[in-house]
Structures are given as structure tokens and as C-alpha cells.
Amino acid sequence: MQAFRADIFHSPERGRIERIPDALLSVGDDGAILSVAPCPDTAPPDLVDLRAHGVLIPGLVDLHIHAPQFPQLGTALDVPLEEWLFRYTFPLEARYADLDFATRVYDALVRRLLANGTTTAVYFATIHGPASLRLAETCLALGQRALVGRVAMDHPEGCPEYYRDADPETAIRDTADFIDAVRALPGNSLVEPVVTPRFIPGCTDEALKGLGRLAAETGAPVQTHCSESDWEHTHVLDRCGMSDTHALDHFGLLTRRTVLAHSGFIDGVDMDLIRARGSGVAHCPLSNSYFAGAAFPLRRALEKSVRVGLGTDISGGPSDFLLDVARNAVTASRMLESGVDPDRPAADRGRPGSRIDFRDAFWLATTGGADVLDLPVGFFAEGRQFDAVLIRPPEPALQPMSDDNLLQQILMCAQPADIQRTWVAGREV
Ligand SMILES: [Zn+2]
């Protein structure tokens, strides 16, 4: 058992921030929180007092990361999605046939994300089984909670010849083998395999159907891209005669365990279906600024009780720090609300009632992401896993600060260097 004395902030429900300035948190050997409460006058011996070093917040949950794209983070942002894939991204991803290269990149990425406070990560890898398994092994060895997908992509027109599954059978069989391999990793209680059709344009109907069946047979979670850009959304409408959301449902890929990246162009009917299936959305506002052509109607989705969390979308978004994405979710919602074209009159420039605030953003980065994954993390309570980040307030207190403002300043201004320590399942990483 371990005991921590800390100044904790968390958001068990959207819109509500709770602070316990002097909390006692005890954690069992399995990483589960045994109790969390204000510290009694006589504190038990052997506790670790964290209060002088910052505030303790729940670990950050990043719902959408392309691990192989880490080497091009912050670059390749100059062309639309459909060009970006063929010019920059498919050539880079094809290099993961080289296991040594994969090992080097994945080790660097997982270390960086843990240092940035990302305690749970949802990854796309590549089509290569050995390299994808290496990513799962790296998360396990370094102690990051993760969902990892070997990417399935077999469409002869949607994928280049040098980087695709030979046929639908290969896409399905290699995915099934990957699921077995991850589940068989010794001592694995942290990493789960994910059925990962890249997106509808990259997959044949046969592959999508087979992967839907595989998800049902194995109970594995699913991740894919949904209505990401004008091009992608229109492509699916033309090919399937329905939206991404409805097409994915038709292929059996819209489950309680599905994470849909982006979903910028979903309408109210799509939202109702996503909600009915219990799937979740990985909102990636930074990436959307470069590749979507529109802002995801986040507030509308939240008000319709669609489950939503945040994603960096490395490297579609040029940051590997989830708090950058959280503050950008606030910014994007404000831009959607006000509109952006100064030549239009203010009254018809934007979409009223679209904004979220820092409380929502903090919830999305922690509890919202955990809820999408049905994982017992995201806030501090008995029975939940101790995934936590000790973070130093970014500015010295130059004036008295309310609880709300202290958290707001952390959310809006903190940098990776402000993160002091990180724990996953009770283990310091
Ligand atoms: Zn993506």
C-alpha cells in the first residue's frame, strides 16, 4: 500500500471541479485507490507528501495518436488530407517494416508522452505486425496504459501499392493475429489491442465487414476516422450512399467500444446513432485546424450526451501535449461560436451557443476520455486506478487565486516542463 498527501483537483462530472487542498489518498498494490478524503489531523506515517511540489490532477487521456507519425510532428501541415497521406504520411509509415526504426521511434514517443502526463494513450500503429507489437511491448515496459491498433488498409485506390494489405483476408487475419499476440504478452494488464480499419476510403467493404465481425467475436475495441474532412466525408457519401457514421454501423464497427476520430461533419442524426450505440468521439481540434476545414460542433455533441474525449492526432496536430489540445478545444469552440470572417456581419458570422470553457476542457482531457474507453481512471475515487500527474502551477502566485483560477491557469498555460511526476496504476513512470 502507498499513501499520498496532496492538493488534488479533479472533475468527476462535466462542469464541476472539485479541489481538496489537503487530501489523503491511499492506493493498493493493484493500483486501485482505496480511499480519498481530507487528511485527518493525525496523518499516518510513511506517507509521501506532494503538496510542496504542485497540485495532483488525474492522468491525461489521449484518444487519438498515430505513433508512426511522431518523426514528422510539427511538419507536413501544408497540404490537404488526401495529399498529405500520399506525399508525407504513407511513405513514413511504410518505413516501419524496419523493426529497429520502429523500436527507436516508439521508445522515444512513449517516453515523451509519459513525461507530458499522458497516462492513457490510444494508438494507431501501421500495417506491420512486428512493429505494432513492439509499440504494445514498449507501452507495457515503460508502464503506459494503452490501446494499440495494427492498422488495416487494403483498398487498392485508397492506399499506395507499397503500403497496403494484399487483400481483405490479410487485413482481417493480421488484425486477428495481432489481437492474440497483445493479449498473450506476459504480465499484461495495461495494454489492449484495438481493431483498426484506417478509414473507409482506405478499406474495401469486405475488409470492413470482416473487421466488424472480428470486433464482435473478440470483444475488442474499435478505432477509426469518421467524417474527418470535406473530402473524406464526401468520399464516403458517394461510395456508400450514407454518412461515415451510418456506414460504420452497417459494417458492425459502431460499438460501445468504438472511438471515432474527428467526426467534424457528423449531423444530429449521426450524433443520435453514435449515442444509441454508445460509441465515443476523439475530438482533435488542433488537427482539425489544418485538415478538417471546419470545427467539430463539440458543445452540440456534449448536449446530445455523445461521449467525447480529446486527441492530439499526432502528427495531424502539431503538439504531443494534451493540455495544448484541451486549451485549443476552448479556442476552437469560441471561434465556432463567434465565426471568423470579419467581412460578415457579427450577427451571422458564427454559431451561437457553441463555446465550452476550461472546466469542460479539463473534464474532456481526463474523465471524458476515460468514459469513452470505459476505463476506471480520469478522477480520484475509491476503486478507480491511481493514474495521476503532479503539476506545478505555471506562474508563481503573484496575487491570491481562487480554486477556479488556479486550475484555469494550469489548463491554459502549463507546459510539459511543469509536470513533476507521473503515475500509472499506482506505479511511478
Ligand atoms: Zn488520425
Side-chain angles (χ1 to χ4, degrees):
M1 202 194 82
Q2 309 174 80
F4 299 96
R5 191 170 180 177
D7 180 358
I8 69 172
F9 268 107
H10 64 169
S11 177
E13 296 154 44
R14 185 167 73 85
R16 185 171 72 85
I17 303 295
E18 184 181 43
R19 181 184 192 186
I20 309 178
D22 184 7
L24 177 66
L25 235 144
S26 55
V27 179
D29 294 335
D30 61 354
I33 296 169
L34 300 170
S35 64
V36 50
C39 194
D41 290 338
T42 47
D46 296 337
L47 56 67
V48 180
D49 195 340
L50 302 171
R51 289 172 301 164
H53 308 287
V55 303
L56 195 70
I57 62 171
L60 305 174
V61 180
D62 188 339
L63 293 179
H64 189 53
I65 302 159
H66 292 271
Q69 296 171 20
F70 185 49
Q72 69 180 13
L73 183 71
T75 70
L77 298 164
D78 56 333
V79 292
L81 179 66
E82 59 276 27
E83 264 181 76
W84 174 83
L85 288 166
F86 282 83
R87 188 186 300 180
Y88 300 112
T89 298
F90 290 149
L92 173 58
E93 291 195 13
R95 293 184 58 198
Y96 290 75
D98 175 352
L99 189 58
D100 289 339
F101 178 61
T103 303
R104 277 205 311 279
V105 172
Y106 292 161
D107 185 74
L109 171 64
V110 176
R111 285 178 195 278
R112 170 78 65 85
L113 292 178
L114 284 170
N116 287 359
T118 300
T119 52
T120 299
V122 184
Y123 292 110
F124 279 57
T126 58
I127 67 171
H128 313 99
S132 303
L133 189 62
R134 180 55 46 86
L135 176 57
E137 290 167 340
T138 303
C139 296
L140 194 56
L142 297 176
Q144 187 179 47
R145 198 181 295 284
L147 286 80
V148 178
R150 177 259 176 219
V151 176
M153 43 191 279
D154 69 323
H155 201 292
E157 280 149 38
C159 315
E161 215 201 318
Y162 63 84
Y163 182 52
R164 72 164 172 252
D165 292 316
D167 46 48
E169 294 73 33
T170 305
I172 297 158
R173 190 196 56 233
D174 285 8
T175 301
D177 289 349
F178 177 73
I179 292 171
D180 293 341
V182 173
R183 287 180 171 171
L185 286 174
N188 180 10
S189 59
L190 282 181
V191 182
E192 224 186 330
V194 192
V195 173
T196 307
R198 182 172 204 115
F199 58 169
I200 291 177
C203 298
T204 60
D205 286 14
E206 294 73 18
L208 292 163
K209 251 180 248 155
L211 292 166
R213 264 198 311 275
L214 185 65
E217 284 162 17
T218 58
V222 175
Q223 63 180 343
T224 191
H225 297 88
C226 176
S227 295
E228 176 170 0
S229 69
D230 287 298
W231 163 75
E232 196 271 341
H233 182 61
T234 308
H235 173 99
V236 176
L237 281 175
D238 291 347
R239 175 171 142 201
C240 304
M242 59 185 102
S243 70
D244 265 50
T245 305
H246 282 79
L248 291 168
D249 190 48
H250 166 78
F251 292 120
L253 290 164
L254 207 62
T255 75
R256 169 80 195 179
R257 306 207 68 202
T258 297
V259 180
L260 300 168
H262 308 297
S263 309
F265 291 85
I266 59 174
D267 63 15
V269 178
D270 292 326
M271 286 184 190
D272 290 341
L273 181 59
I274 292 169
R275 182 179 170 207
R277 296 289 180 264
S279 306
V281 171
H283 174 40
C284 310
L286 258 180
S287 169
N288 293 162
S289 306
Y290 292 93
F291 294 106
F296 171 64
L298 169 62
R299 169 96 168 261
R300 186 171 181 212
L302 292 171
E303 283 171 354
K304 275 185 166 281
S305 299
V306 172
R307 304 200 293 165
V308 186
L310 298 177
T312 52
D313 192 22
I314 293 169
S315 67
S319 173
D320 52 26
F321 186 37
L322 197 72
L323 290 185
D324 275 342
V325 173
R327 57 193 68 138
N328 205 252
V330 177
T331 310
S333 76
R334 296 288 289 264
M335 302 284 251
L336 180 60
E337 179 166 288
S338 64
V340 295
D341 182 352
D343 284 349
R344 299 174 73 95
D348 64 351
R349 197 181 295 148
R351 191 191 274 204
S354 294
R355 69 167 69 185
I356 64 153
D357 68 9
F358 73 94
R359 295 177 196 82
D360 297 317
F362 179 64
W363 177 87
L364 286 165
T366 54
T367 305
D371 179 50
V372 166
L373 301 173
D374 284 326
L375 281 174
V377 297
F379 59 94
F380 302 119
E382 190 187 326
R384 295 188 87 82
Q385 289 281 301
F386 184 68
D387 288 13
V389 173
L390 184 68
I391 189 166
R392 183 177 59 192
E395 300 296 335
L398 298 173
Q399 60 171 356
M401 195 145 322
S402 67
D403 291 356
D404 263 13
N405 279 343
L406 179 57
L407 183 71
Q408 183 168 16
Q409 192 169 69
I410 289 170
L411 189 104
M412 299 308 282
C413 305
Q415 296 301 319
D418 295 316
I419 291 179
Q420 309 288 301
R421 298 171 70 175
T422 303
W423 294 262
V424 177
R427 177 183 156 201
E428 188 163 7
V429 290

